[in-house]
Amino acid sequence: MSEIRSADRLVADLVRDVPDYPKPGVLFKDITPLLADPEAFGHTVEALGAPWRDAAPRVDKVVGIEARGFILAAPVALALGAGFVPVRKAGKLPGPTFARSYALEYGQETLEVQRDAFEPGDRVLIVDDVLATGGTVEAANTLIRDAGAEVAGISVLLELTFLAPRTRTGDLTVHSLLPV
Ligand SMILES: O=P(O)(O)OC[C@H]1O[C@H](OP(=O)(O)OP(=O)(O)O)[C@H](O)[C@@H]1O
Ligand SMILES: Nc1ncnc2[nH]cnc12
């Protein structure tokens, strides 16, 4: 097995399935064992950023979605030499914001971004841990456009393909490290 494939296997083995969390019927993908392993965490950050390293035009900003998305998106931003922009749950960002409400696999939420988070025309990479129904990423995409920037694409660690999230991502390029 190549070095790259064995690193992917290490990452996959450190995602823990938790049945019926946070609601009956949901198989929760717990990434905390992966985050606690520096080799697996480092490989994940490297692999999430790799498809965008030589992108033309370049990625100017990386958006992380509260809360688990922050953990992955911030180091990806640094690795790409891009700025980091937080998209947060409602009521956490000071100053004027754009807001979007949406449904996700196990609930309802509202996300916000600061109105001045981007330069006009910034190209933005969205990074998150899990792409499930795609509702979260769809809301983030809309917010980024509301704020005058353009979404270059999406990198996620896990894609729950049985929930068909790509029906919500339109023609955006999506890289998922572990489609399950
Ligand atoms: O594709 P979807 O069905 O929209 O679900 C994916 C989202 O669900 C989780 O976030 P959650 O809102 O649970 O927040 P957390 O990161 O604070 O745990 C996950 O981190 C993704 O952002
Ligand atoms: N099944 C799942 N596991 C972890 N995070 C999620 N976010 C949405 N669905 C999820």
Side-chain angles (χ1 to χ4, degrees), residues 105-121:
E105 192 186 2
Y106 39 66
Q108 282 279 135
E109 268 298 351
T110 301
L111 286 176
E112 290 185 314
V113 71
Q114 286 171 317
R115 288 186 178 235
D116 63 357
F118 304 104
E119 303 296 326

Side-chain angles (χ1 to χ4, degrees), residues 64-175:
I65 304 169
E66 186 174 2
R68 280 171 274 153
F70 288 176
I71 301 166
L72 299 177
V76 170
L78 288 176
L80 293 178
F84 173 78
V85 172
V87 164
R88 298 206 64 177
K89 306 279 166 59
K92 299 285 187 180
L93 288 168
T97 61
F98 294 104
R100 290 277 162 173
S101 297
Y102 62 100
L104 68 162
E105 192 186 2
Y106 39 66
Q108 282 279 135
E109 268 298 351
T110 301
L111 286 176
E112 290 185 314
V113 71
Q114 286 171 317
R115 288 186 178 235
D116 63 357
F118 304 104
E119 303 296 326
D122 265 356
R123 286 175 51 80
V124 178
L125 170 64
I126 300 172
V127 172
D128 208 354
D129 63 333
V130 178
L131 184 61
T133 63
T136 302
V137 154
E138 185 179 39
N141 179 28
T142 306
L143 287 172
I144 292 162
R145 288 158 173 263
D146 288 345
E150 179 193 340
V151 177
I154 299 162
S155 269
V156 294
L157 169 55
L158 288 151
E159 177 179 357
L160 307 189
T161 53
F162 63 94
L163 293 173
R166 294 191 191 220
T167 59
R168 312 282 288 274
T169 55
D171 56 7
L172 292 173
T173 301
V174 180
H175 289 288

